[in-house]
Amino acid sequence: MAKGSGLSIDSDPIGFFLHKPIVLNSFQEDQYIHRKNKLSTSTTTSTATSMDTTTAIQRSPPPTLQFPVNLNCTHVDDHHSDSPPPPSPPEKRTVIDEMDFFADDKNHVAKASSADDADDRKDLIGPRDLEFNVNTGLNLLTTNTSSDQSVVDDGISSNLAVLHAELERMNSENQRLKDMLNQVTSNYNTLQMHLMSLMQNQSKADNSEGHGVFEGKIEEKKSSDNGGGGVVVPRQFMDLGLAANGDTDEPSLSSSEERRSGSAGNNAKNGHGGGDDGPQLFDQEKKEFDGGLTAREEGPDQSNSQGWGSNKVPRFNSSKEADQTEATMRKARVSVRARSEAPMINDGCQWRKYGQKMAKGNPCPRAYYRCTMAAGCPVRKQVQRCAEDRTILITTYEGNHSHPLPPAAMAMASTTSSAARMLLSGSMSSADGLMNSNFLARTMLPCSSSMATISASAPFPTVTLDLTQSPNPLQLQRPPTQFHISFPNPSQNLSNSPAASLLPQIFGQALYNQSKFSGLQMSQDMADPSQMGHQSQSQPLGQHGSLTDTVSAATAAITADPNFTAALAAAITSIIGGGGAHNNATATTPTNNTNNTSNANATTSSSN
DNA sequence: CGTGTTTGACCGGCGC
DNA sequence: GCGCCGGTCAAACACG
């Protein structure tokens, strides 16, 4: 094996955050030069794509004007003889002129006639509208008076009124769903505190009774994880609920973490002496935790608002089955693909590098990091450049933070955690988690794009969030008229729904909103001022690896669009209703995106 | 001197 | 059983 190959990346997270100059060896320099050469291309591409998206949005409105105009045609005819037309302000003609999309000779004839008197003008309104409806011109309006103006204005205003009413309705619904989510979140937190209290009592009871070796070791480990403070909860729960959730339904603590604790605490420098105890300790701890959770389950609403279904699945399996399930869950990962020039994306957390290896099939080394924001945080990540395109940085996260996160870290953490949770909820909804994941992956719509990928073919279930394509996050801001969401159909499986693909972002946003930060605000609060700004506004994706911006942009876009909140509600409903397998949230959009994820068993996105 | 990185060694899972 | 490989450990080293 190519150990010590020298293909190292200076990736001091702290230094990175502080704009510490990055020192590269010759190979890295080659890589970075290569990437820099490519950067202009990729940046240009991203920018162009963004512009295309914007243009597409701006082009959309005009044709819809026909409908209200026709409505007013009837209206005017009905009042033809009732009231004389008000004086026509000439200046309004310019407004009408702007609507003369289709001019032809007929309109000139009509224009001449319309100049005679108001009644004649009114008479012409009907035919003119008909002509308009069949794509003839509106030039006759250039001499029309206010009656015609009012016709158009009334049409537009009535249409606007309709739209406004619709918007208000959606906003109210949006607010209602937010309230519901907040309440569910609150209930969940309360439930979790109950659980902690219960577990604490249980652990004390077990300890006092002098039960088997596992319990004793668990106590030892728990104390170690909490800085020896004597707290007997498995891990500290953060107030945001995110990490607590992750700890609850996604046992992220790897065996090595146990080994590490054991080595440090007991075996000192003997290194691997505690290795064998790690998984057992964790499994036992996990069983206790799950058992307590199951016992305390109060109902689907509470248990799933943040647990995303994993918590709600009863854990009455035998110990062997539980071990299998836990092994699967422990390995759940979220991989984020993003274009980045930096050796490591700024996700707001602090990382310490603990290893580097050459991975098979990739000339680029894989770096291993663990979170150092809190002692005993089980989160690890692997950073590796894509072999095919070295401008793409693949960051794979495993586990959930056991500590409060700064705002800058919330977006990524919540997104990845939610993605993992989504995956796990799918896995846990079946006795065979992996097969279910495969099914979930395969049954996602083929027409979708590559924002989220679920891969069960890997040794561990992995969700891949592909952020290398800028259109996807931006497309989340498409006007509601181009993004239709239909609400749950109980007879359909969630996995059939394209909205399922939005769950990582949606859930991330939900969790993020829960923490009282908006995506935009978070983006502005980021530690690195150079990476401030709203990605969805204009900043091309992939510049300097501001992945957090990307995520926040996507999540902010979701927040901005009531339809996405509706999708969130639908998704939550889906999970609440059946571990992500009963109800259905459907987001129907035309798609034209391509899939660029190599291991894409299923990809989804909102696209147009 | 404290903190973080580097890197050779080691472990465990898995396939043959 | 053996080798491969991913993942981790920890002594040595670098740096401020």
Side-chain angles (χ1 to χ4, degrees), chain A residues 23-53:
Chain A
V23 180
L24 306 178
N25 58 29
S26 59
F27 181 85
Q28 292 173 255
E29 288 176 355
D30 289 341
Q31 279 192 317
Y32 291 138
I33 290 172
H34 175 70
R35 288 201 297 275
K36 279 187 177 178
N37 290 337
K38 280 193 171 182
L39 182 63
S40 58
T41 304
S42 63
T43 301
T44 304
T45 303
S46 299
T47 305
T49 311
S50 300
M51 292 175 62
D52 290 345
T53 304

Side-chain angles (χ1 to χ4, degrees), chain A residues 366-444:
Chain A
R366 175 185 300 164
Y368 299 90
Y369 296 88
R370 67 164 54 96
C371 177
T372 59
M373 293 194 75
C377 179
V379 176
R380 280 144 204 245
K381 75 173 181 180
Q382 301 173 7
V383 178
Q384 187 174 33
R385 295 210 167 268
C386 179
E388 290 78 14
D389 184 356
R390 298 187 185 185
T391 64
I392 297 176
L393 198 64
I394 302 173
T395 305
T396 303
Y397 294 88
E398 178 180 350
N400 284 284
H401 297 278
S402 60
H403 52 85
L405 292 168
M410 275 301 298
M412 176 60 75
S414 60
T415 301
T416 56
S417 175
S418 301
R421 214 166 279 125
M422 176 191 72
L423 173 61
L424 292 176
S425 68
S427 300
M428 293 306 297
S429 62
S430 164
D432 187 344
L434 278 179
M435 283 195 61
N436 196 17
S437 295
N438 266 323
F439 175 75
L440 180 68
R442 285 196 302 266
T443 52
M444 285 189 177

